[in-house]
Amino acid sequence: MTIEDVARLAGVAKGTVSRVLNNYGDTSAETRDRILQAVERLEYQPSAAARKLKRGRVDTLGIVLPAGQGEHADPFLSEFLDGIAQALDLSDRDLLVTTAHSDEHAVTVHDRLIRSRKVDGFIVTRTQGDDPRIGLLLQRGFPFVAHGRTKETDFAWYDVDNERAFLDAVRHVVALGHRRIGFLGGPVRMNFAIQRKAGYRRGLAEAGIAHDPALEIACELNEMSGAEAARTLVHLDEPPTALVCVTDTLAIGAIEALRALGLAIGRDVTVIGYDGLPVGAYIDPPLTTFSQSAHAAGARAAQMLIDVIEGVDPLERQELVRADLVKRASDGPPEKTPKELKESLAR
Amino acid sequence: MTIEDVARLAGVAKGTVSRVLNNYGDTSAETRDRILQAVERLEYQPSAAARKLKRGRVDTLGIVLPAGQGEHADPFLSEFLDGIAQALDLSDRDLLVTTAHSDEHAVTVHDRLIRSRKVDGFIVTRTQGDDPRIGLLLQRGFPFVAHGRTKETDFAWYDVDNERAFLDAVRHVVALGHRRIGFLGGPVRMNFAIQRKAGYRRGLAEAGIAHDPALEIACELNEMSGAEAARTLVHLDEPPTALVCVTDTLAIGAIEALRALGLAIGRDVTVIGYDGLPVGAYIDPPLTTFSQSAHAAGARAAQMLIDVIEGVDPLERQELVRADLVKRASDGPPEKTPKELKESLAR
DNA sequence: TATCAATCCAAAACCGTTTTTATTGACGAC
DNA sequence: GTCGTCAATAAAAACGGTTTTGGATTGATA
């Protein structure tokens, strides 16, 4: 079923068919009807490859995912993908998905896709403070949108206001009555970790609480690290009654560790996470956290990328959104002072 | 950077460049070197679109995911995708991802992709007993591999031996000493639900335990339904001391409900799930379940599809794999008889 | 020495579109 | 009447590869 067949059936030249299908509006109503009828009858659809070749645009967006390190796929990404796909469905574009197992490999893969002209642009996720993928794309002048900023920010991005969220987190626990607040941070090379820490400190300052370095711990992003940090903090001379964690994973680890010590989460110690992972709802107690809707982020990033591809200045597509508090059950007013908490642990 | 440029630089015709790049092996070593050098210098990579057009093959596999019903993406699928992508990386093919929000829409989307020749074949997930997508693909004679069988099975598929897994599950709890075993089943239209129930019954028969219809409940696939079913079963006159659940989600719901009743999971009541979801490891107690490695399934399905596209008879690509027991902490020997269990609840 | 086969490569055809250029006929203006 | 002008469409030229065809050169064979 090619355009030739349609042209023959309608008794016109194939160029005419093409112009009708692409709405040039320079064909008589009569022949247009005839052609559309032929298209209908033959159930004709243009070949994507031929159209791409001539047009030089492929109507496909690309995304390179970090390859799950043996078994562990990122739950955040699957929702993010879903959001992208839905946005693309509306605009008749497709999504090309690839994986990369290291930073260098990611760069290679992006380069390959650019050179073989398989995509019109990229969505870059999980940005680092200094991101080689973004370096490549900027250098090549290839369209992209990043989910998350980097040190440089002269490109299109969609990001959550991390600082604001952690400011809000501190405000929230302060309002509950906490004055001694711990912070489980992330690796300093990650941009979001820096921003979240800034929010935490601003929150303390705003509440007139002196900043105590002993209450701040930099963790790796896994449960074990969260558990360890929680144990460290709770054994301080003056332990915190609230823990603000840079990711849900850390918070889950912390909760596990604290429960093992016999503490009641949400009463003895408040724990707040960040990410809004579905898992959080199933643990005991359900985790209070901040949610950024991965789905919405994906959909919005896709639309922004489409705009950029169509010529909008990337600098006009920079969006900062707020993360909202998802109140569940791991927070509450402090039932013990730090001193009492310390004593209850000693027993 | 087109093949023309390379040809000019190397001083040959473009056809020769093409033959060198595609290893026809009919060019002299000397010119081949010259051409490869030119390719290197220009960093040339062929245009995917042009190559597709001429070859009639696009080296792209397609997958149509169910669109997350507002926010809830399937954790299984994200690992599955990752497996596919990694397999494709090895064979220099790409993956086109789309979403569909209903069964009919899914059929439409498949049809569109076939007609625009954007993919060489499909991977179909979450098969139903009677699957309209598979109907379409069979009718069109388009290559595909299904993850899961349907009523008809004359096509390529990769499936877990559901019956066997549930046979094993029953054997496992019988070996622990249980004789009163409940079954939390799934919707009957789902093929896997039927198979798993068959396995459960076979297990009972094998152990010489009479089949009691009261112990079998058909649930919807969510926590609430699992919780409800668990409550129903445990309030029978002679309650089960072990619950075998058709998915982890059901098992998680059941555990929540039973814990709320003051029962100790793994001691008063054993609960076994199925899916190997990561969540299972974080709940309390960690869920004993059967795992089918979504990652491996994706990788294998992708390879099978490639084989089929390259001409292998689909009927030679049907694979049944075993799901393995992931022993965690929600199972154990019964510490109470059904009667004692009943009494402890009455208090 | 003429013939034949084998090797290497240039040239041309083709894939199915879109876009540009040419052609045709109708119409109005001078 | 002839000459543009315009609208509508046919015809041809891309797009960037792959594949086919065929020609020139070489070496072996009769």
Side-chain angles (χ1 to χ4, degrees):
Chain A
M1 250 347 90
T2 78
I3 202 173
E4 189 72 56
D5 299 316
V6 176
R8 193 165 27 236
L9 180 59
V12 298
K14 55 185 188 166
T16 309
V17 176
S18 174
R19 287 201 313 283
V20 164
L21 291 179
N22 291 289
N23 295 313
Y24 274 57
D26 63 348
T27 17
S28 72
E30 187 197 354
T31 47
R32 196 182 52 235
D33 285 355
R34 201 146 32 88
I35 288 172
L36 290 178
Q37 228 165 305
V39 167
E40 193 86 3
R41 261 227 356 242
L42 299 180
E43 300 199 321
Y44 167 76
Q45 254 208 345
S47 140
R51 156 173 275 181
K52 286 172 184 178
L53 176 57
K54 180 61 192 180
R55 282 201 168 157
R57 267 192 355 187
V58 292
D59 288 337
T60 302
L61 271 40
I63 188 169
V64 180
L65 304 176
Q69 3 284 1
E71 294 299 293
H72 239 62
D74 191 330
F76 169 86
L77 287 178
S78 94
E79 276 200 35
F80 189 71
L81 267 191
D82 195 49
I84 298 173
Q86 269 185 265
L88 292 189
D89 190 40
L90 300 176
S91 81
D92 241 322
R93 267 165 251 251
D94 297 295
L95 180 67
L96 198 76
V97 176
T98 320
T99 54
H101 41 260
S102 71
D103 281 7
E104 306 90 67
H105 188 208
V107 171
T108 313
V109 171
H110 279 92
D111 198 33
R112 174 173 71 83
L113 290 176
I114 292 174
R115 288 228 295 268
S116 63
R117 283 142 283 178
K118 280 190 172 178
V119 301
D120 297 321
F122 286 101
I123 294 177
V124 177
T125 59
R126 300 267 126 132
T127 51
Q128 301 169 23
D130 206 340
D131 203 302
R133 301 167 295 176
I134 290 182
L136 173 81
L137 291 166
L138 283 174
Q139 180 215 323
R140 283 272 200 287
F142 203 78
F144 73 99
V145 168
H147 180 242
R149 284 161 290 179
T150 66
K151 227 179 287 168
E152 290 288 322
T153 58
D154 280 355
F155 48 82
W157 47 257
Y158 178 98
D159 202 359
V160 180
D161 191 342
N162 287 301
E163 187 170 342
R164 171 64 183 255
F166 274 69
L167 172 57
D168 285 349
V170 173
R171 281 179 180 163
H172 177 71
V173 297
V174 166
L176 286 171
H178 296 269
R179 303 287 298 171
R180 190 75 184 151
I181 303 165
F183 178 71
L184 270 57
V188 287
R189 100 194 113 91
M190 298 283 197
N191 220 43
F192 72 85
I194 298 166
Q195 297 164 345
R196 292 178 195 175
K197 190 199 283 190
Y200 162 74
R201 292 196 182 166
R202 231 175 93 198
L204 291 186
E206 194 184 276
I209 301 175
H211 167 239
D212 179 352
L215 288 180
E216 252 182 50
I217 299 191
C219 309
E220 287 305 305
L221 299 177
N222 55 55
E223 286 100 22
M224 226 172 43
S225 187
E228 201 176 325
R231 274 190 293 264
T232 306
L233 288 179
V234 90
H235 284 116
L236 289 176
D237 280 342
E238 191 184 354
T241 59
L243 255 38
V244 179
C245 310
V246 98
T247 69
D248 278 355
T249 317
L250 286 180
I252 290 172
I255 286 180
E256 237 162 63
L258 297 178
R259 265 214 334 225
L261 291 173
L263 296 173
I265 308 300
R267 299 198 291 136
D268 294 334
V269 182
T270 279
V271 177
I272 292 189
Y274 183 99
D275 270 346
L277 292 192
V279 200
Y282 302 133
I283 64 165
D284 181 32
L287 179 66
T288 292
T289 183
F290 280 82
S291 167
Q292 53 173 296
S293 179
H295 192 272
R300 186 63 195 131
Q303 186 54 55
M304 287 167 74
L305 177 52
I306 290 173
D307 292 346
V308 170
I309 288 170
E310 292 191 338
V312 173
D313 181 358
L315 299 187
E316 289 184 5
R317 286 294 178 276
Q318 303 186 327
E319 292 184 13
L320 200 58
V321 298
R322 273 181 68 168
D324 298 313
L325 183 73
V326 180
K327 175 101 175 75
R328 292 201 277 243
S330 63
D331 61 319
E335 297 197 346
K336 296 194 174 78
T337 65
K339 188 161 298 191
E340 289 165 358
L341 186 58
K342 180 82 189 165
E343 280 162 10
S344 80
L345 274 174
R347 279 202 315 270
Chain B
M1 250 348 87
T2 77
I3 201 173
E4 190 72 56
D5 299 318
V6 177
R8 192 162 30 233
L9 179 59
V12 298
K14 56 181 189 168
T16 308
V17 176
S18 175
R19 286 202 313 281
V20 164
L21 291 179
N22 291 289
N23 295 315
Y24 274 56
D26 64 347
T27 15
S28 70
E30 187 197 355
T31 46
R32 195 181 53 232
D33 285 354
R34 199 146 33 90
I35 288 172
L36 290 179
Q37 228 166 305
V39 166
E40 193 85 1
R41 264 234 346 249
L42 299 178
E43 300 199 320
Y44 167 76
Q45 253 208 346
S47 140
R51 152 175 277 183
K52 285 172 184 178
L53 177 56
K54 178 61 190 189
R55 282 206 170 151
R57 267 192 354 187
V58 292
D59 288 337
T60 302
L61 272 37
I63 187 169
V64 180
L65 303 176
Q69 2 285 0
E71 294 299 292
H72 238 62
D74 191 330
F76 170 85
L77 287 179
S78 92
E79 277 201 35
F80 190 71
L81 267 190
D82 195 50
I84 297 174
Q86 270 185 263
L88 292 189
D89 190 40
L90 300 176
S91 82
D92 241 321
R93 269 164 249 252
D94 298 296
L95 180 66
L96 197 78
V97 176
T98 320
T99 53
H101 42 259
S102 71
D103 281 7
E104 305 90 67
H105 188 207
V107 171
T108 313
V109 171
H110 279 92
D111 198 33
R112 174 172 72 81
L113 290 176
I114 292 174
R115 287 228 295 267
S116 62
R117 282 142 285 177
K118 282 190 171 178
V119 301
D120 297 321
F122 286 102
I123 293 176
V124 177
T125 59
R126 300 266 125 134
T127 50
Q128 301 169 23
D130 206 339
D131 203 302
R133 301 167 295 176
I134 290 182
L136 172 80
L137 291 167
L138 284 175
Q139 181 215 321
R140 284 273 199 288
F142 203 77
F144 72 97
V145 168
H147 180 241
R149 284 161 289 179
T150 65
K151 225 179 286 168
E152 289 288 321
T153 59
D154 281 355
F155 50 81
W157 47 258
Y158 178 98
D159 203 359
V160 180
D161 191 342
N162 287 302
E163 188 171 340
R164 171 63 183 255
F166 274 70
L167 172 58
D168 285 348
V170 172
R171 281 178 180 164
H172 177 72
V173 296
V174 165
L176 286 171
H178 297 268
R179 303 286 300 172
R180 189 79 183 148
I181 303 164
F183 178 72
L184 270 59
V188 286
R189 100 194 114 91
M190 299 283 197
N191 220 42
F192 72 85
I194 299 167
Q195 297 165 345
R196 293 178 193 175
K197 190 199 282 190
Y200 162 73
R201 291 195 182 168
R202 232 177 91 198
L204 293 185
E206 192 183 277
I209 301 174
H211 167 241
D212 178 353
L215 287 180
E216 251 182 49
I217 299 191
C219 309
E220 287 307 305
L221 299 177
N222 55 55
E223 285 100 22
M224 225 173 45
S225 187
E228 201 176 324
R231 275 190 292 266
T232 307
L233 288 179
V234 91
H235 284 117
L236 290 176
D237 279 343
E238 191 184 355
T241 59
L243 255 38
V244 179
C245 311
V246 97
T247 69
D248 278 355
T249 318
L250 286 180
I252 290 171
I255 286 179
E256 239 160 62
L258 297 178
R259 268 217 330 229
L261 292 173
L263 295 173
I265 308 300
R267 298 198 290 135
D268 295 335
V269 182
T270 279
V271 177
I272 291 187
Y274 184 100
D275 270 347
L277 291 191
V279 201
Y282 301 132
I283 65 166
D284 182 32
L287 180 64
T288 293
T289 182
F290 280 81
S291 168
Q292 54 173 294
S293 178
H295 192 273
R300 186 63 195 132
Q303 187 53 54
M304 288 168 72
L305 178 52
I306 290 173
D307 292 346
V308 169
I309 288 170
E310 292 192 338
V312 173
D313 181 358
L315 300 187
E316 289 185 5
R317 286 295 177 274
Q318 303 186 326
E319 291 183 14
L320 200 57
V321 299
R322 273 180 70 168
D324 297 314
L325 183 73
V326 179
K327 175 98 175 79
R328 291 200 277 243
S330 64
D331 61 319
E335 296 197 348
K336 295 194 174 82
T337 64
K339 188 162 295 187
E340 290 165 357
L341 186 60
K342 181 82 190 165
E343 280 162 12
S344 80
L345 274 172
R347 281 201 314 269

